[in-house]
Amino acid sequence: QKREISNFDYLMYLNTLAGRSYNDYMQYPVFPWVLADYHSETLNLTDPHTFRDLSKPMGAQTVERKQKFIQRFNEVEKSEGDLSAQCHYCTHYSSAIIVASYLVRMEPFTQTFCSLQGGSFDVADRMFHSVKSTWESASRDNMSDVRELIPEFFYLPEFLTNANHFELGCMQDGTVLGDVQLPPWADGDPHKFILLHRQALESDYVSAHLHRWIDLIFGHKQHGSAAVEAVNTYHPYFYGDKMDLNNIKDPLIKSTILGFISNFGQIPKQV
């Protein structure tokens, strides 16, 4: 509020407090999608419609999608299955594979991604290849995709180019994967994309609404009744501080939970 620290620095500080670290792919720093406009020729940072709704998680960015996740939550309540697994989302907004997929064009993340995928790149159509299509998938189209961003989206243009000339495959429509496709307002320039994206993060609109996203990820809407109301609950295994693995005697259950966390991610510690 006093403009003594940037939004970027503030988010990094919160991530650190919540136990997130560049040294752990499973608990990598998490940053928000801040824009919803990936189609305009010029970016208008004075128009509220340019921005993502920071008061809602990625699963509730459209009314239709939000209703589907609420329906999923309510259906689990009615079933005779394991009631503790009642949640809106069975996938997570940050995981080792999400981090590695964003940074796949740079080492050592290339090797990390391949090892997580069993030794090779993923099917080309599922690889991170376009900022716009990734936003559409995470905010609207794909019910198993609620991913957020990583800090590099706001300072590192190099991860958007395939400078190492990796053969990432060919999509079904014939497009050969290379550099990440950028929004029109970036003019095909990764440096311009990072510049404008960082300006968006530090804009007046985001400064005025960022606390709402922080409530969802690090604060009081992270779990409990406030999370249910905000359509922001995840599978119980994702809540690391709620799962006391030391009290679980069955080694199979313990390894299942650890495998779940390593594959799908973990909620940050509540700040």
Side-chain angles (χ1 to χ4, degrees):
Q1 286 177 336
K2 292 180 180 177
R3 295 292 195 268
E4 291 174 2
I5 184 173
S6 67
N7 289 335
F8 182 91
D9 288 339
Y10 184 47
L11 287 171
M12 283 304 299
Y13 179 69
L14 288 174
N15 270 287
T16 305
L17 281 180
R20 312 297 282 191
S21 167
Y22 281 122
N23 299 322
D24 186 347
Y25 293 147
M26 288 181 281
Q27 300 210 56
Y28 210 75
V30 56
F31 268 58
W33 288 95
V34 292
L35 293 173
D37 182 354
Y38 298 97
H39 53 269
S40 298
E41 293 295 329
T42 55
L43 196 60
N44 183 359
L45 296 180
T46 60
D47 182 357
H49 295 104
T50 298
F51 298 92
R52 164 255 180 106
D53 187 341
L54 287 159
S55 68
K56 296 183 174 71
M58 290 303 290
Q61 289 297 307
T62 69
V63 175
E64 299 79 11
R65 186 166 150 104
K66 178 181 177 182
Q67 288 307 318
K68 284 180 185 174
F69 281 120
I70 291 173
Q71 184 181 349
R72 173 194 281 176
F73 184 89
N74 293 335
E75 281 172 355
V76 173
E77 188 177 31
K78 295 189 192 108
S79 73
E80 294 179 9
D82 181 5
L83 292 181
S84 67
Q86 183 180 27
C87 60
H88 295 108
Y89 315 114
C90 296
T91 54
H92 198 257
Y93 50 76
S94 176
S95 66
I97 195 67
I98 289 171
V99 172
S101 69
Y102 280 145
L103 300 172
V104 70
R105 290 162 179 80
M106 295 171 58
E107 290 289 15
F109 303 99
T110 313
Q111 294 304 316
T112 301
F113 182 83
C114 288
S115 64
L116 288 170
Q117 282 290 340
S120 62
F121 291 120
D122 199 359
V123 176
D125 286 83
R126 287 204 299 256
M127 296 275 285
F128 171 53
H129 65 276
S130 158
V131 178
K132 178 174 180 278
S133 65
T134 302
W135 159 255
E136 288 172 348
S137 170
S139 67
R140 190 186 70 203
D141 297 338
N142 188 346
M143 290 293 284
S144 62
D145 184 3
V146 291
R147 75 184 69 186
E148 293 279 6
L149 299 182
I150 54 175
E152 284 81 352
F153 272 85
F154 301 94
Y155 69 82
L156 191 72
E158 286 79 8
F159 87 96
L160 298 165
T161 60
N162 186 19
N164 293 317
H165 305 293
F166 292 118
E167 293 185 8
L168 302 172
C170 187
M171 295 171 66
Q172 286 184 344
D173 64 4
T175 305
V176 177
L177 258 59
D179 297 346
V180 176
Q181 294 170 12
L182 302 175
W185 45 259
D187 295 329
D189 181 352
H191 289 83
K192 185 172 182 181
F193 172 82
I194 295 293
L195 175 70
L196 291 173
H197 204 216
R198 182 64 174 267
Q199 286 177 359
L201 178 65
E202 305 299 342
S203 66
D204 289 340
Y205 179 90
V206 171
S207 297
H209 295 85
L210 188 58
H211 64 285
R212 297 180 180 278
W213 182 83
I214 290 168
D215 286 343
L216 296 169
I217 307 299
F218 302 108
H220 76 289
K221 291 183 180 176
Q222 194 190 70
H223 52 71
S225 58
V228 175
E229 200 174 318
V231 194
N232 192 43
T233 64
Y234 297 81
H235 194 284
Y237 289 171
F238 295 156
Y239 296 87
D241 54 347
K242 301 283 180 287
M243 300 293 304
D244 189 355
L245 291 173
N246 295 324
N247 289 335
I248 298 173
K249 299 290 183 276
D250 189 326
L252 187 63
I253 294 175
K254 187 182 281 192
S255 67
T256 300
I257 293 172
L258 287 170
F260 207 88
I261 293 167
S262 66
N263 280 321
F264 295 110
Q266 203 168 4
I267 303 286
K269 289 180 185 147
Q270 192 173 27
V271 176

